[in-house]
Every structure is written in C-alpha cells, then in structure tokens.
Amino acid sequence: MARMSAQRLPTPEEDSQTCQQCGACCAYFRVSFYWAEADDAPGGTVPVGLTQPLTPHLRCMQGTSERSPRCTALQGTIGQGVSCGIYAQRPSSCKDVNPGDAKCLKARAAHQLPSLNSELIALRG
C-alpha cells in the first residue's frame, strides 16, 4: 500500500475561498439524492423546480445528468469565481464533497484546474 504524505488541513476560510473559485464538482458529477430532500416533501429543502426525477426514489439536480454536466444552481465561471444559488438548501450529496477529498480532486483534474495543494500554498502567500 502506498504511503500518503501528511498534509495540512485547510482552514475554513481557505475552504470557502477555494470552493468559490472552483465549482468543478458542480460541473462534473451527477448530483443525485433521495427524493424527500426536495421541498415538495415534508421537511425537504432542495427547490423541486431545480431537480428532475431519476427513479421512483431518487432525484438529481437539473443539468447534472447531461453528457457535459453542470448544475443549474451553479453561478459563475468554473475555476475563476462561482457560487451556489441554493447553498443553504443544497442536497446532501453536495455536502458530501469537501475541498481536497478524492471527489474534489477528480473533478478539478477533469477541468484541468491546478492541484488543490498548489492553491492552498498560494493562499498562504
């Protein structure tokens, strides 16, 4: 098994800055989640109008099941400056991606963005 090098965890401020410049995960993965997370179900918060059904039990964010996915709630330019139009109401699958985790790094690589470690070094400046 390969050894992993010890890396400093980003601060919450660095996480926020990195995500607001990136957006790669929002334009790489299909964002699917349990149907009851949508606001047409009791206690659901994700705006149903921004979702589409996948199966009887799953929904996804519009735009993310396309050949070239891009979440309809993503605003801005990937790698330059982005925000989520429904951040407070985003589905659990969005909350599962964290800066620097395997999903993040895979999406960044697909969009030819620099490694996250390089960006964090630049932020420390």
Side-chain angles (χ1 to χ4, degrees), residues 79-97:
Q80 295 179 17
V82 297
S83 64
C84 174
I86 61 164
Y87 187 80
Q89 295 87 27
R90 71 194 188 283
S92 60
S93 52
C94 295
K95 297 173 188 174
D96 290 341
V97 179

Side-chain angles (χ1 to χ4, degrees), residues 14-29 77-82 97-123:
E14 290 169 339
D15 276 356
S16 174
Q17 289 173 354
T18 301
C19 287
Q20 290 174 9
Q21 292 172 354
C22 185
C25 59
C26 307
Y28 182 73
F29 296 107
T77 303
I78 296 167
Q80 295 179 17
V82 297
V97 179
N98 292 294
D101 71 11
K103 289 180 181 178
C104 166
L105 296 177
K106 186 175 183 178
R108 289 178 66 83
H111 285 277
Q112 301 170 345
L113 295 173
S115 75
L116 190 58
N117 292 336
S118 297
E119 277 196 13
L120 292 177
I121 290 168
L123 285 172

